[in-house]
């Protein structure tokens, strides 16, 4: 029992470190984006993977750790508000659909997560800005979230094909 718990902590620590690395790479790639605040969401590779191979609490733990540490290391506490809101709402939506519709692929769940993440961040922006001034921003965000979420989920799907599942052991 202690060995299993220690292995899970070690696995999640590695996943959190990987999510941090991907988040750092994402922050550099965002410099090349024509849309303000746009990121690919590379760290969501880890989160979607954890939804399939571990459980929701594991994905939540890694997601929150990644948001907090990324804000302190790479961005700001102001950016944390956007990041944590998008991360929590997208994880909630992905976890719910993964449970209710288990036949959906990681690509479909990833696409859903991308759209919900961007919608949640847009709602946070509406809190600070007048919604009328940023209404135009919502359709491109949804499109980008759909495409990047789908592609990241597809990468997870390909990874799962070659990963020895811990659930089958």
């Amino acid at each position: 029992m202690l060995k299993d718990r220690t292995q899970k902590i070690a696995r999640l620590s590695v996943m959190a470190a990987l999510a941090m690395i991907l988040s750092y790479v994402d922050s550099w790639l965002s410099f090349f984006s024509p849309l303000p605040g746009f990121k690919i969401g590379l760290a969501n590779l880890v989160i979607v993977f954890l939804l399939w191979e571990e459980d929701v609490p594991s994905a939540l733990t890694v997601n929150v750790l990644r948001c907090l540490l990324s804000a302190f290391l790479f961005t700001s506490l102001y950016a944390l508000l956007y990041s944590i809101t998008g991360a929590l709402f997208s994880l909630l939506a992905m976890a719910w659909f993964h449970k209710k519709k288990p036949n959906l692929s990681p690509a479909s769940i990833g696409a859903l997560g991308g759209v919900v993440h961007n919608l949640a961040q847009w709602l946070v922006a509406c809190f600070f800005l007048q919604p009328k001034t940023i209404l135009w921003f919502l359709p491109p965000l949804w499109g980008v979230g759909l495409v990047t979420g789908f592609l990241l989920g597809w990468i997870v799907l390909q990874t799962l094909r070659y990963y020895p599942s811990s659930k089958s052991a």
Side-chain angles (χ1 to χ4, degrees), residues 4 28 73 95 103:
D4 291 341
W28 279 98
L73 295 173
N103 293 336

Side-chain angles (χ1 to χ4, degrees), residues 19-83:
M20 287 295 302
I21 292 166
L22 292 171
S23 192
Y24 181 70
V25 169
D26 215 0
S27 70
W28 279 98
L29 292 175
S30 68
F31 289 124
F32 303 107
S33 170
L35 296 173
F38 167 75
K39 290 185 177 181
I40 296 171
L42 294 174
N44 287 324
L45 287 166
V46 175
I47 304 309
V48 174
F49 181 84
L50 286 171
L51 280 176
W52 256 259
E53 284 301 312
E54 292 285 339
D55 51 23
V56 174
S58 298
L60 177 64
T61 301
V62 169
N63 219 2
V64 169
L65 272 172
R66 190 234 354 132
C67 288
L68 290 171
L69 292 172
S70 292
F72 287 118
L73 295 173
F74 311 133
T75 59
S76 66
L77 292 178
Y78 181 72
L80 173 64
L81 183 59
Y82 285 93
S83 177

Side-chain angles (χ1 to χ4, degrees), residues 63-64 66-67 78-92 113 116-125 128:
N63 219 2
V64 169
R66 190 234 354 132
C67 288
Y78 181 72
L80 173 64
L81 183 59
Y82 285 93
S83 177
I84 199 89
T85 303
L88 292 177
F89 277 93
S90 68
L91 178 60
L92 180 66
V116 171
H117 184 93
N118 287 344
L119 176 61
Q121 287 188 330
W122 183 82
L123 291 172
V124 170
F128 293 108

